[in-house]
């Protein structure tokens, strides 16, 4: 009879149905591990929300079983939620040396770095977690030292690719997907494969870094003015290419943006980025050099409001201005949801006289996620019995599931899971979907975690869409007459000077209501003011602001 304690359960808490929020729990017997612990950046309609994190109740209820947290690589959608989990669990974190350095830096911001056990691992290393063992395999991605995973369980072998692509002509051997390692691990047979779905809609292969560097080299050779480059601050390999090209073409490099500066310093200290000290110049010294001798590395690839590139586009940068002849290279992809902000920055840069090159018009960025042919190559290497697509929106999961069928996985064994849908593997090589578990997007707003829910967001949406009208009224308690007011203030509703006549009419409505409400019935007075003014504004302006009556009895 099979030992039910050895059945293996996979529970996705995030990352299946959205881009970001990657977090998965694996359980077997008395052992449990987590794979990744990421955030998601908020959509435009989440007014005031800083980041989105998974709900960790499922993990906390089983924290005594948690043997370790596996981080595949150092992007925020894989490490960013750790500060909100680690105060409540006691488990070591396993990842590459570079990823752990990024994690330590992030935890230091939350004063947690002293309390966390960070354990570096290497490619082809195996770590035992009781009933589960994990083998780490190097993968090529848009950040150095990423891992895919080969997981050993009593119910069979599992492959988790992590975020990966297959670079056919790598610049060096440090950022290569270890297909040979995956093949050796998969040789005895793989029960289940979990694979990155982000770029399943793109045919062929992703551009290689060698092709990107050649494109950048051609641009550097022709540029006659300053070159401004914005990119993800964690893309160390791309930064190395920019610095190498600057040295080749006799340019100095200046840096604007704390995250890029911090990651360059960290990478140089750990030996991941090679650059002589003489190549760098302070931002304050840029004007001392001819334009054709300067390269600037800037934050702002996603149009972030306070980033260096955005401040330059808005002519608000403290140390420099955009001018005719500047060439801006946006060497990163447009993350869904950020397109409007990015295009606004691009338009502003053109208005100031700069030329802008980005992924859609020039080959200056290579995605770190596998295209269809690379996904097929990984499927053919692993040859899984069952397949579950991960890391993508729902349409990505569907299309990747279909691709797996094309690559030889039986249709009934190519499964689409969503967040909160556990999957159990049994020793007899069968699988079963379990009852859904509670998962939820938790909103982080400043120091508040989870205190902003749907009702608060709805109020913020109303305020953003229609504005606010405040009615102040002071009543003399003895005489029952109005001592002060009514005063009407508009916030985000109308320009008060332009609509002074409208607000005067609103005051008259308030006075009429006051005359018809018995003395002392303050709540009734407030309700009547709120309802009457909303009807008035809807009739006159076809707008429905939030009306807040403030009635004080003295």
């Amino acid at each position: 009879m099979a030992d039910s304690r050895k059945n293996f359960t996979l529970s996705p808490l995030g990352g299946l149905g959205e881009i970001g929020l990657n977090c998965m729990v694996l359980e077997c017997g008395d052992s449990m591990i987590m794979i990744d612990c990421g955030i998601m950046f908020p959509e435009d309609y989440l007014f005031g929300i800083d980041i989105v994190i998974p709900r960790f109740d499922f993990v906390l209820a089983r924290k005594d079983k948690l043997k370790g947290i596996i981080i595949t690589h150092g992007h925020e959608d894989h490490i960013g939620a750790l500060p909100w989990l680690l105060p409540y669990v006691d488990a070591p974190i396993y990842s590459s040396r570079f990823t752990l350095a990024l994690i330590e830096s992030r935890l230091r911001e939350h004063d947690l770095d002293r309390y966390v056990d960070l354990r570096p691992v290497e490619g082809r290393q195996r770590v035992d977690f009781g009933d589960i063992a994990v083998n780490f395999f190097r993968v090529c991605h848009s950040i150095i030292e990423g891992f895919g995973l080969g997981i050993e369980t009593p119910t069979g072998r599992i492959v988790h690719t992590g975020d990966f692509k297959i670079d056919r002509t790598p610049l060096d051997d440090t950022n290569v997907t270890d297909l040979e390692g995956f093949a050796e691990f998969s040789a005895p047979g793989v029960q289940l494969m979990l694979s990155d779905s982000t770029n399943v809609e793109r045919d062929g292969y992703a551009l290689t870094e060698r092709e990107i560097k050649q494109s950048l080299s051609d641009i550097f050779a022709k540029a006659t003015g300053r070159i401004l480059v914005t990119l993800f601050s964690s893309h160390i390999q791309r930064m190395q290419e920019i610095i190498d090209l600057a040295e080749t073409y006799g340019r100095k490099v200046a840096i604007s943006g704390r995250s890029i500066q911090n990651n360059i310093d960290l990478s140089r200290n750990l030996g991941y980025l090679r650059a002589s000290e003489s190549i760098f110049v302070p931002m304050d010294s840029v004007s001392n050099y001819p334009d054709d001798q300067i390269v600037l590395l800037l934050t702002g690839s996603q149009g972030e409001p306070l980033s260096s590139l955005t401040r330059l586009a808005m002519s608000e940068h403290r140390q420099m201005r955009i001018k005719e002849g500047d060439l801006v290279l946006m060497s990163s992809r447009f993350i869904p949801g950020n397109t409007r902000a990015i295009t606004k920055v691009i338009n502003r840069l053109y208005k100031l006289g700069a030329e802008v090159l980005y992924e859609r018009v020039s080959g200056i960025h290579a995605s770190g996620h596998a295209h269809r042919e690379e996904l097929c190559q990984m499927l053919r290497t692993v040859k899984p019995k069952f397949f579950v697509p991960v890391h993508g929106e729902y349409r990505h999961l569907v299309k990747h599931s279909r691709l797996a069928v094309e690559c030889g996985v039986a249709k009934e064994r190519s499964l689409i899971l969503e967040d909160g849908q556990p999957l159990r593997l049994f020793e007899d090589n069968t699988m079963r979907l379990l009852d859904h578990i509670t998962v939820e997007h938790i909103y982080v707003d400043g120091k508040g975690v989870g205190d902003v829910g749907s009702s608060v967001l709805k109020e913020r949406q109303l305020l953003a869409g229609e504005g606010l009208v405040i009615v102040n009224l002071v009543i003399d308690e003895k005489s029952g007459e109005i001592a002060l007011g009514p005063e009407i203030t508009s916030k985000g509703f109308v320009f008060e000077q332009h609509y002074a006549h409208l607000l005067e009419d609103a005051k008259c409505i308030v006075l009429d209501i006051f005359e018809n409400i018995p003395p002392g019935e303050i709540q009734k007075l407030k309700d009547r003011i709120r309802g009457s003014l909303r009807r008035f504004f809807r009739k006159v302006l076809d707008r429905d602001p939030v009306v807040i009556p403030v009635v004080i009895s003295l």
Side-chain angles (χ1 to χ4, degrees), residues 241-287:
E241 295 164 23
I242 298 296
I243 291 169
D244 290 346
L245 289 171
E247 195 163 25
T248 299
Y249 290 97
R251 291 176 180 260
K252 298 292 185 181
V253 177
I255 302 165
S256 180
R258 187 178 67 173
S259 60
I260 286 183
Q261 184 67 66
N262 290 346
N263 284 352
I264 285 178
D265 292 342
L266 183 150
S267 302
R268 293 180 72 195
N269 291 336
L270 293 175
Y272 293 111
L273 193 148
R274 306 171 304 281
S276 62
E277 193 63 44
S278 61
I279 195 74
F280 297 105
V281 296
M283 280 294 299
D284 292 332
S285 302
V286 166
S287 60

Side-chain angles (χ1 to χ4, degrees), residues 119-174:
R119 300 186 184 182
V121 292
E122 301 289 339
R124 300 287 185 101
Q125 184 173 336
R126 182 181 184 275
V127 179
D128 199 305
F129 297 97
D131 295 311
I132 304 172
V134 177
N135 299 268
F136 294 83
F137 300 107
R138 296 279 189 190
V139 292
C140 176
H141 189 41
S142 55
I143 188 172
I144 59 174
E145 293 202 333
F147 285 127
L149 309 173
I151 304 164
E152 301 172 39
T153 77
T155 61
R157 296 192 165 205
I158 298 165
V159 166
H160 187 303
T161 66
D163 287 2
F164 82 101
K165 73 174 188 177
I166 299 171
D167 195 326
R168 295 152 291 152
T169 57
L171 289 168
D172 53 50
D173 60 358
T174 61

Side-chain angles (χ1 to χ4, degrees), residues 19-317:
I19 301 294
L21 215 70
N22 298 295
C23 187
M24 183 174 292
V25 175
L26 310 183
E27 296 177 85
C28 189
D30 296 324
S31 302
M32 183 174 84
I33 62 173
M34 279 183 65
I35 298 177
D36 292 326
C37 188
I39 64 170
M40 183 169 67
F41 292 104
E43 300 287 350
D44 291 342
Y45 63 85
L46 297 176
F47 297 101
I49 299 302
D50 297 320
I51 59 170
V52 183
I53 64 174
R55 177 172 288 281
F56 294 120
D57 292 9
F58 183 82
V59 178
L60 300 181
R62 297 159 173 77
K63 65 180 181 179
D64 293 339
K65 295 173 57 176
L66 185 61
K67 306 296 184 184
I69 301 171
I70 313 296
I71 303 296
T72 56
H73 64 278
H75 281 150
E76 286 293 311
D77 58 335
H78 293 258
I79 70 171
L82 284 170
W84 287 273
L85 171 68
L86 293 177
Y88 307 102
V89 300
D90 184 16
I93 300 175
Y94 295 83
S95 195
S96 65
R97 199 161 61 102
F98 178 71
T99 301
L100 292 180
L102 293 177
I103 291 171
E104 185 175 25
S105 176
R106 171 50 58 89
L107 296 180
R108 194 176 297 120
E109 297 174 7
H110 295 262
D111 198 28
L112 293 171
D113 54 303
R114 295 168 293 168
Y115 309 106
V116 179
D117 183 3
L118 302 176
R119 300 186 184 182
V121 292
E122 301 289 339
R124 300 287 185 101
Q125 184 173 336
R126 182 181 184 275
V127 179
D128 199 305
F129 297 97
D131 295 311
I132 304 172
V134 177
N135 299 268
F136 294 83
F137 300 107
R138 296 279 189 190
V139 292
C140 176
H141 189 41
S142 55
I143 188 172
I144 59 174
E145 293 202 333
F147 285 127
L149 309 173
I151 304 164
E152 301 172 39
T153 77
T155 61
R157 296 192 165 205
I158 298 165
V159 166
H160 187 303
T161 66
D163 287 2
F164 82 101
K165 73 174 188 177
I166 299 171
D167 195 326
R168 295 152 291 152
T169 57
L171 289 168
D172 53 50
D173 60 358
T174 61
N175 198 25
V176 177
T177 295
D178 185 7
L179 285 175
E180 184 180 333
F182 279 110
E184 291 176 3
F185 176 82
S186 304
V190 168
Q191 181 78 346
L192 171 66
M193 177 177 170
L194 310 163
S195 186
D196 173 17
S197 307
T198 309
N199 270 346
V200 69
E201 294 178 317
R202 297 190 178 189
D203 292 326
Y205 290 87
L207 287 173
T208 68
E209 279 302 316
R210 190 174 297 277
E211 292 169 317
I212 296 302
K213 187 171 183 180
Q214 184 57 56
S215 294
L216 291 171
S217 180
D218 294 341
I219 291 168
F220 270 66
K222 296 175 183 176
T224 58
R226 298 183 301 186
I227 301 175
L228 294 77
V229 184
T230 182
L231 72 175
F232 293 129
S233 61
S234 58
H235 204 327
I236 304 305
Q237 187 176 22
R238 189 72 50 78
M239 290 185 201
Q240 182 72 69
E241 295 164 23
I242 298 296
I243 291 169
D244 290 346
L245 289 171
E247 195 163 25
T248 299
Y249 290 97
R251 291 176 180 260
K252 298 292 185 181
V253 177
I255 302 165
S256 180
R258 187 178 67 173
S259 60
I260 286 183
Q261 184 67 66
N262 290 346
N263 284 352
I264 285 178
D265 292 342
L266 183 150
S267 302
R268 293 180 72 195
N269 291 336
L270 293 175
Y272 293 111
L273 193 148
R274 306 171 304 281
S276 62
E277 193 63 44
S278 61
I279 195 74
F280 297 105
V281 296
M283 280 294 299
D284 292 332
S285 302
V286 166
S287 60
N288 298 334
Y289 294 85
D291 289 350
D292 62 357
Q293 293 181 17
I294 286 294
V295 174
L296 295 109
L297 282 173
L298 309 165
T299 54
S301 65
Q302 300 305 306
E304 301 93 327
L306 300 179
S307 65
S308 296
L309 185 63
T310 301
R311 285 187 284 120
L312 275 170
M314 304 304 293
S315 300
E316 295 174 353
H317 197 283

Side-chain angles (χ1 to χ4, degrees), residues 6 28 69 108 135 145 165 183 204 218 314 399 419 438 441 446-447 454 498 502:
K6 300 301 183 183
C28 189
I69 301 171
R108 194 176 297 120
N135 299 268
E145 293 202 333
K165 73 174 188 177
D218 294 341
M314 304 304 293
K399 292 179 181 181
D419 297 343
T438 300
H441 293 174
K447 293 184 177 180
S454 58
H498 185 70
L502 183 74

